[in-house]
Amino acid sequence: MVDSSQLPKLPITLLIIARNEASAIGRCLDSVPFAAEKLVIDSGSTDGTQDVSQRHGARVVYQEWLGFGPQRNFASLQASHDWILALDADEALSPELANELRERLPQLMQSSNAGAILRRQTWYMGAPMRWYRPMVGERMGRLYHRGRARWTDVRVHESLRFDGPTPTLKHPFIHLNNPTLVHKQLKTLRYAELKARDWLDRGKPVHMWMTPFVYLTAFIKDYFLRLAFLDGWRGFIVSQTAATYAAYKRMRYYEMRRNPESRDMAADLLHGYGLDP
């Protein structure tokens, strides 16, 4: 068997934005052995993420949290290479995708393509989801040339905007989604806070009367139309969680508008959990 660490490196940067990801980030870094550079943008970890990252071959740069979109755009500028593979700390390349990238990247990087679309396979509650569409083969822009693509400047739910062709790769990368429901609920609180603040910046109108319908519509869409029901109780749980998030972020936005003091109070509480909005 060939030792992958001895194979030639490719001029690409593996880029991870992280905070308090010591338990997961090593697996992510090790899954991309062909990257000439591994770069972690840390926003103030207190669990040793920086040390773990360095032990797994990464360069670590500190940047105070800017929001997901701005943080990723800052990170792109810190890379030593124009071609970038962006992963989250709880994600990793499958061996099949790592081999596919090693074979296809040289030609891709010589082309005029802006990047490539990758597919993501999600593990939830300790096993892969089999039917729920957003967690089975979800298409995501994660490989890009930084001169031909840019992350949207939003606090949460950022995405890449490409300026050029983007082929789709065959094999998936793996997402180990939230080790527990407690982690998921904390993340939901943070994401809702970020989304509500984006709405506040844009002066989005408040339509609280829509909230019950938003909840019901979101649950029906995920549970039935996106086939979550075929994944059993895990499908029910993921649909209920998504519907709750859709409703809660609207309620939180209503509260921000009605009681502006709640913004700083909530930010201080989330900060105590290491979840800066």
Side-chain angles (χ1 to χ4, degrees):
M1 178 179 290
V2 178
D3 183 353
S4 61
S5 65
Q6 302 303 315
L7 293 173
K9 304 293 185 182
L10 297 174
I12 185 170
T13 295
L14 167 62
L15 188 57
I16 306 170
I17 60 173
R19 181 175 181 181
N20 291 338
E21 297 284 1
S23 63
I25 200 165
R27 176 178 180 269
C28 179
L29 289 164
D30 290 347
S31 74
V32 193
F34 55 80
E37 180 184 44
K38 299 177 182 182
L39 175 61
V40 173
I41 306 299
D42 187 88
S43 55
S45 294
T46 57
D47 69 344
T49 294
Q50 304 94 327
D51 293 336
V52 173
S53 299
Q54 290 171 346
R55 288 201 301 270
H56 287 265
R59 175 168 64 96
V60 179
V61 173
Y62 170 76
Q63 172 58 48
E64 182 178 351
W65 184 245
L66 304 171
F68 280 97
Q71 192 84 351
R72 290 194 190 276
N73 283 324
F74 168 85
S76 294
L77 296 176
Q78 310 311 307
S80 300
H81 303 285
D82 286 333
W83 280 93
I84 295 171
L85 173 64
L87 295 177
D88 292 338
D90 61 354
E91 298 170 342
L93 298 188
S94 64
E96 295 81 7
L97 179 56
N99 289 334
E100 182 180 5
L101 283 168
R102 192 188 296 279
E103 293 173 1
R104 295 188 60 178
L105 273 174
Q107 181 178 0
L108 181 65
M109 291 189 292
Q110 293 298 318
S111 73
S112 61
N113 288 330
I117 304 299
L118 276 58
R119 303 178 188 274
R120 185 168 77 170
Q121 170 72 57
T122 296
W123 283 56
Y124 188 68
M125 293 188 171
M129 296 293 273
R130 298 297 186 187
W131 295 96
Y132 178 52
R133 289 181 178 177
M135 291 185 174
V136 179
E138 181 182 14
R139 291 164 51 87
M140 308 189 78
R142 292 299 189 85
L143 177 64
Y144 60 101
H145 186 291
R146 63 181 170 186
R148 305 167 195 160
R150 179 177 173 82
W151 295 93
T152 52
D153 280 313
V154 293
R155 289 188 175 93
V156 68
H157 303 318
E158 76 287 6
S159 61
L160 271 174
R161 293 292 181 263
F162 293 103
D163 183 18
T166 51
T168 299
L169 301 185
K170 177 181 178 181
H171 297 288
F173 66 102
I174 308 302
H175 179 210
L176 299 178
N177 183 268
N178 301 300
T180 70
L181 280 175
V182 176
H183 291 80
K184 176 62 177 177
Q185 292 304 314
L186 289 173
K187 182 181 287 187
T188 294
L189 289 174
R190 184 192 187 198
Y191 281 15
E193 199 73 11
L194 292 166
K195 191 64 177 179
R197 286 172 181 259
D198 270 346
W199 287 344
L200 198 65
D201 289 346
R202 303 203 309 264
K204 178 182 172 71
V206 177
H207 297 305
M208 271 299 294
W209 63 270
M210 294 178 59
T211 302
F213 303 101
V214 166
Y215 176 90
L216 184 61
T217 301
F219 181 84
I220 290 173
K221 179 178 69 175
D222 276 5
Y223 194 63
F224 293 107
L225 300 183
R226 291 180 169 176
L227 306 182
F229 71 94
L230 294 174
D231 277 306
W233 284 114
R234 289 187 305 148
F236 172 83
I237 292 168
V238 79
S239 300
Q240 191 276 339
T241 302
T244 299
Y245 169 67
Y248 172 76
K249 64 186 176 183
R250 287 164 173 80
M251 294 188 291
R252 178 65 184 123
Y253 180 54
Y254 171 78
E255 182 182 34
M256 282 185 178
R257 294 282 297 265
R258 184 175 178 84
N259 180 20
E261 292 182 0
S262 72
R263 302 169 199 169
D264 291 338
M265 295 170 64
D268 290 342
L269 182 61
L270 288 171
H271 179 73
Y273 286 95
L275 301 171
D276 291 327

